[in-house]
Amino acid sequence: MHRIAWSLAALAAVFIPSAARADLDVVATVPDLAALAKEVGGARVRVRTLALPTQDPHYVDAKPSLALALNRADLLLAVGLDLEIGWLPTLQTGARNPRIQVGADGFLDCSQFVTPLDVPVGPVDRSKGDIHPRGNPHYLTDPRAAEAVARGIAARMAQLDPDGAADYRANLAAFTRRLAAARRGWEARAAKWSGRSVVPYHNSFHYLTDWLRLSVVAYLEPKPGVKPSPGHVAKVIALGRRQRVRAVLLEDYYPAATAKLAAAKMGAKLIVVPGGAHVDDGQTYIQRMDQVVGLLEEALR
């Protein structure tokens, strides 16, 4: 914590602001939230993301440069459901910015706009793996949830920047029209391989498989966040063969060796899914989801 505070002051001393400042400085914890914020905010916002699309969002290094980004933020967008619990509170404290603390108008937990899946029943402890007590936080792979989140972001931006309310509403309306058209296309394509069996590595695809009506046979992780043992992998491979699994799903920030071996043994294809939208390269949320659906279609058709 002291390292972050000291380095934040040093970075602020050499930071040179841009000539033109957006009406809202927005920081998102993950790239997909940043992509949605860009859609809704348009030219009135500057959007940055804390986690890279190639990083596991459960484990982000709380670097001083990230605290500096939060120091200047008007709005912090979080996935919530404890996805960022291991690193975001440290950054919020180190940022020394009252606007983006929990409970302030500049902090938005976007999980409030969705209905979580995988909410555990009964006591939760570490023996069950990396369980999220309030539900699965990987909801942004379902465009239905993404639309609800975009609406929530637009409302909060309008609250913080009333002069831009009309712009945020117009941007939201345009985005939801484009997303609805894209969804119709994705769902029509996915109808051809509805019900196909898949094996994800981590329980981060439930919202995606629920939306596209795919059957999850098992997970390569025996428990969330627990490295697969050879014995567990052998059981999954045997089950996958019996269930005629067509694909193994893996986000690109996880090691690929186990998933590659399991896919080969099951006669399935390995689908390596990008961990999030590459917003710094201009990729939009719709383009990111089109890429994901395309990868699934190639393996499952």
Side-chain angles (χ1 to χ4, degrees):
M1 178 59 66
H2 296 297
R3 178 175 67 90
I4 287 180
W6 183 89
S7 300
L8 176 60
L11 284 167
V14 299
F15 182 78
I16 302 175
S18 58
R21 186 184 186 280
D23 296 272
L24 286 179
D25 194 321
V26 181
V27 175
T29 57
V30 300
D32 286 348
L33 278 181
L36 294 175
K38 283 176 177 284
E39 293 280 5
V40 171
R44 296 189 70 90
V45 303
R46 178 190 181 190
V47 182
R48 287 171 286 182
T49 182
L50 298 177
L52 299 174
T54 53
Q55 283 181 297
D56 183 344
H58 296 90
Y59 308 105
V60 174
D61 185 13
K63 298 183 294 186
S65 59
L66 301 184
L68 178 62
L70 288 177
N71 174 260
R72 301 176 180 277
D74 299 303
L75 176 60
L76 169 59
L77 304 174
V79 172
L81 299 178
D82 292 337
L83 178 72
E84 307 99 340
I85 192 66
W87 54 274
L88 186 59
T90 298
L91 288 175
Q92 287 175 284
T93 301
R96 300 184 178 184
N97 178 359
R99 296 188 300 276
I100 53 87
Q101 303 303 318
V102 175
D105 290 340
F107 176 77
L108 187 61
D109 180 339
C110 294
S111 67
Q112 66 187 283
F113 305 117
V114 304
T115 301
L117 301 176
D118 302 325
V119 179
V121 177
V124 175
D125 57 54
R126 294 302 299 174
S127 68
K128 297 181 180 180
D130 186 17
I131 294 290
H132 296 276
R134 296 189 296 122
N136 190 322
H138 302 286
Y139 53 80
L140 290 170
T141 54
D142 184 340
R144 299 170 298 185
E147 179 179 342
V149 169
R151 293 185 184 279
I153 292 172
R156 185 59 58 91
M157 286 181 175
Q159 177 184 343
L160 296 175
D161 175 26
D163 291 343
D167 290 336
Y168 300 134
R169 286 194 297 269
N171 293 342
L172 175 65
F175 171 65
T176 55
R177 285 194 299 270
R178 294 195 302 273
L179 184 61
R183 254 190 67 193
R184 288 192 294 271
W186 296 329
E187 289 168 0
R189 291 159 61 186
K192 301 173 184 177
W193 26 273
S194 176
R196 299 278 169 85
S197 296
V198 298
V199 168
Y201 181 87
H202 179 73
N203 190 13
S204 46
F205 294 100
H206 194 170
Y207 294 89
L208 179 68
T209 56
D210 178 73
W211 166 49
L212 296 178
R213 300 181 181 180
L214 299 175
S215 175
V216 175
V217 169
Y219 294 94
L220 281 175
E221 288 183 333
K223 298 176 182 178
V226 176
K227 184 178 179 181
S229 66
H232 175 74
V233 172
K235 291 178 181 178
V236 173
I237 290 171
L239 180 60
R241 285 173 174 166
R242 292 196 300 271
Q243 297 291 331
R244 297 184 179 180
V245 164
R246 301 291 291 272
V248 174
L249 310 181
L250 178 78
E251 282 156 322
D252 60 5
Y253 45 72
Y254 287 115
T258 299
K260 185 176 181 180
L261 171 66
K265 294 289 187 180
M266 286 187 283
K269 290 188 178 181
L270 174 62
I271 303 177
V272 180
V273 179
H278 285 255
V279 288
D280 289 344
D281 296 331
Q283 188 180 39
T284 67
Y285 178 81
I286 291 175
Q287 289 170 339
R288 180 270 207 283
M289 290 305 301
D290 194 59
Q291 181 182 17
V292 172
V293 173
L295 290 168
L296 289 169
E297 185 174 42
E298 184 177 347
L300 297 174
R301 62 187 173 188

